[in-house]
Amino acid sequence: MDIAFRTIRLRKRVALAISRGVSGDSDNLFVSVTCGGVTGWGEMAPGVSQGAATAQAGEAALRAFCAELDADGAAPPPLPGIMQIHDRALRRRVPACALAALDMALWDARARRARMPLYQLLGIARPRAPTSITLGISPPEVVRERIPQLLGGGNGIRALKVKLGSKHGIAADQAMFAAVLESVRCLGRAVSLRVDANGGWDVHEAQVMMKWLAGHGVEFVEQPLEAGREADLPALYKNRPLPIFVDESCRFADDIPAWAESVDGVNLKLMKCGGITGALRIIAVAGALRLKIMAGCMSESSLSISAAAALGGALDYIDLDSQLNLAPDPCRGAQLVDGIVTPPESPGHGAQIIAADPRHAE
C-alpha cells in the first residue's frame, strides 16, 4: 500500500466568524492510497480540537502510523480491514482529522476497485435532504449584503444556518437574526432557518434565545452550550421550545449514549470522528437511540464534501457547504443540484484534485 501526501491552500471567499473566533484560509492535507493499481483520495482539514493544528502535523502522524501497517498492497483492504485500521489508528492516538483523510482514501479505493459509487458500496441511498448554507456572525449591515449573495443566483439553496453566540451578548444575536429575517423576507424566498451557537451561550442565555427563536420559525438550535457543559443539558432540554442538536459535544459514537436523553440530534463531521468509518458508527448508534442525524463540515474542499455526501441518504439534515465558499475550489466532485449536495455516479466518492500544483489556490 503506497501512501502519498500533498498540501493545498484553500482560500475562502468570506472568512467565517463563529462564537470562538474567525477562520480564514487553510492549508489542507490531501492523502492518496494506492493498492493494486487503484488509488483512493482523502482530505484533512486541520483543527486544534481535532488533534492536528496544521497539515504538517497531520502528515507526520500519518507517516508514523502508516509505517506500522503490514498491508501487502495487492488490493485495497476489505471493509473489515478498513475498520480495523481505523480502530488501530484511534488506539495509536492518530488525530481524528488526519485519520479522516486516510479512512476516506481507503473507502474511495475500495469503492473504485468495486467500480461502484461510494454511496452504493455503503448501501445508502442518494441524499434527499437539501444542504443549508452558513452565515457567520455578522453585524446587521453585513447580513443585509450577504443574504442576497448566499440565497441568490438560482443555486436552489433552501436552508440557512445562522451562526450566533456573539461575544457582545444575546442582544447582538437578536439584532443579527432580525436582519436575517428582514433580508429573507425581502427576497421573497421560502427558506428553512437553523441556528448554531457553537457553545456561545450559558444556560440562561440559551433558554431566552431558544424561546425567542422559536417565535421566529427556527427549526432547531445546534450546540447551545459550550463543550464540557453537558451536565447542564438536561435543564435546557426540559420544556425546550426547539429541538437541540450537539456538535462539539459529540465527536465519536461512544460520546452519544451519555446524553442521548438530553438532546434531539447529533451533528457528525468526518474531521471529528475520523472519516467514513467513524461516521457510520455514529449513524448506527444515533439511529438506535432514535436521535436525528446531521452531517456538517469544517474548512473542506469538494473532495471531503463528496465523501460526506455519500452518507447523505442516511441523514435527516445536511450542512455541507464549505466548498461553496472557496475561491477557487481545488477539487471537483459533488454538485449542488436543486439545493442538494449530490455525489457523483462515478466509482468511489467521485472527487478529484484539479489544482495544477500546490500553489493553485494561493
Side-chain angles (χ1 to χ4, degrees), residues 54-361:
T54 66
Q56 292 81 2
E59 179 176 341
L62 286 178
R63 284 187 181 277
F65 173 70
C66 291
E68 302 177 6
L69 298 180
D70 52 359
D72 59 17
L79 306 191
I82 296 176
M83 294 181 178
Q84 289 170 6
I85 290 172
H86 186 273
D87 291 344
R88 183 173 175 180
L90 291 178
R91 291 195 299 270
R92 294 289 191 275
R93 299 187 181 278
V94 175
C97 55
L99 174 56
L102 175 63
D103 184 80
M104 73 177 78
L106 291 170
W107 280 101
D108 185 34
R110 171 47 61 182
R112 287 175 185 267
R113 176 76 175 214
R115 296 187 175 89
M116 298 172 66
L118 179 57
Y119 76 88
Q120 288 185 2
L121 182 73
L122 296 173
I124 295 175
R126 288 166 66 80
R128 291 175 292 180
T131 188
S132 57
I133 193 163
T134 304
L135 174 67
I137 294 175
S138 309
E141 60 271 18
V142 174
V143 169
R144 296 184 185 100
E145 293 177 1
R146 289 286 292 146
I147 292 293
Q149 296 169 0
L150 291 173
L151 301 180
N155 54 21
I157 293 294
R158 290 179 267 160
L160 180 67
K161 176 189 277 192
V162 182
K163 297 283 189 177
L164 297 181
S166 169
K167 64 181 180 180
H168 301 296
I170 60 175
D173 284 339
Q174 291 180 352
M176 176 189 167
F177 199 82
V180 170
L181 293 172
E182 174 193 344
S183 301
V184 170
R185 186 164 50 246
C186 288
L187 285 178
R189 291 278 303 276
V191 179
S192 299
L193 296 173
R194 299 146 186 186
V195 164
D196 183 3
N198 286 115
W201 298 326
D202 60 26
V203 173
H204 174 69
E205 290 171 331
Q207 289 171 334
V208 171
M209 284 301 298
M210 288 172 64
K211 182 177 180 180
W212 188 83
L213 291 167
H216 291 88
V218 170
E219 284 188 294
F220 58 79
V221 169
E222 184 182 339
Q223 197 65 39
L225 305 179
E226 184 180 4
R229 297 284 303 276
E230 288 78 22
D232 291 329
L233 281 172
L236 190 60
Y237 183 77
K238 185 179 180 180
N239 299 322
R240 66 203 180 284
L242 288 175
I244 298 171
F245 278 66
V246 285
D247 178 0
E248 289 87 350
S249 294
C250 172
R251 297 186 178 278
F252 301 99
D254 292 348
D255 296 330
I256 300 174
W259 44 82
E261 296 182 0
S262 302
V263 301
D264 299 281
V266 298
N267 183 2
L268 69 85
K269 291 177 179 172
L270 299 187
M271 298 302 137
K272 291 190 306 176
C273 67
I276 297 294
T277 300
L280 292 173
R281 288 171 173 164
I282 289 176
I283 289 169
V285 172
L289 294 170
R290 300 187 178 183
L291 296 175
K292 297 290 185 181
I293 309 166
M294 172 171 53
C297 55
M298 311 295 281
S299 295
E300 301 162 34
S301 77
S302 284
L303 195 145
S304 181
I305 294 298
S306 296
L311 303 166
L315 306 172
D316 299 291
Y317 300 98
I318 293 175
D319 180 31
L320 300 176
D321 67 328
S322 61
Q323 78 285 11
L324 303 176
N325 191 33
L326 297 179
D329 187 343
C331 300
R332 180 186 297 120
Q335 297 294 306
L336 192 64
V337 180
D338 192 25
I340 298 172
V341 178
T342 305
E345 288 297 321
S346 50
H349 53 52
Q352 58 182 318
I353 297 175
I354 58 175
D357 60 51
R359 297 168 296 178
H360 168 78

